[in-house]
């Protein structure tokens, strides 16, 4: 295509359009790179949060098992103390029934 004075406006318009397209393409590429980087960062954060969540769920399970064991020990201790109290009460009642004046209960 030969460059003539009459074809200059057309050539300038094509150059302007080409420049606009290149600028637009570069902007889209930059946005695509930003989206890709954001996605990768979010993926890393998501994995980290999943690991944290899993660790916390495991810790919660351990805490629940410890609480259950502690509750069971408490129930057993209370049962034993209740038996001891009942036994002591029955002994005191028997001694009172015998009217033993030397028994002092604290």
């Amino acid at each position: 295509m030969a460059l003539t004075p009459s074809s200059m406006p057309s050539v300038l318009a094509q150059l302007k359009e080409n420049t606009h397209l290149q600028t637009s393409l570069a902007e889209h590429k930059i946005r695509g790179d930003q989206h890709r980087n954001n996605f990768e960062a979010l993926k890393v954060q998501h994995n980290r949060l999943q690991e944290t969540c899993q660790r916390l769920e495991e810790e919660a399970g351990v805490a629940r098992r410890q609480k259950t064991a502690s509750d069971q020990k408490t129930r057993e201790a209370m049962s034993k103390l209740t038996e001891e109290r009942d036994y002591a009460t029955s002994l005191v009642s028997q001694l009172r029934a015998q009217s033993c004046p030397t028994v002092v209960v604290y």
Side-chain angles (χ1 to χ4, degrees), residues 5-78:
S6 62
S7 66
M8 282 294 270
S10 173
V11 170
L12 289 175
Q14 288 177 352
L15 283 174
K16 185 176 179 182
E17 179 65 23
N18 190 15
T19 303
H20 174 70
L21 289 174
Q22 287 178 357
T23 303
S24 182
L25 181 62
E27 290 170 355
H28 284 287
K29 185 179 182 319
I30 290 170
R31 278 197 297 275
D33 290 343
Q34 289 172 340
H35 290 311
R36 196 172 5 270
N37 291 339
N38 287 341
F39 174 77
E40 290 301 322
L42 288 172
K43 192 165 62 169
V44 167
Q45 184 179 15
H46 174 73
N47 289 338
R48 196 172 340 125
L49 289 172
Q50 276 187 319
E51 290 170 1
T52 301
C53 184
Q54 182 179 3
R55 181 180 48 81
L56 290 173
E57 286 174 348
E58 290 170 1
E59 289 176 9
V62 168
R64 277 192 295 274
R65 288 188 293 277
Q66 289 174 341
K67 182 186 179 306
T68 301
S70 176
D71 289 347
Q72 180 63 29
K73 286 180 183 178
T74 300
R75 282 191 295 275
E76 291 170 0
M78 288 298 293

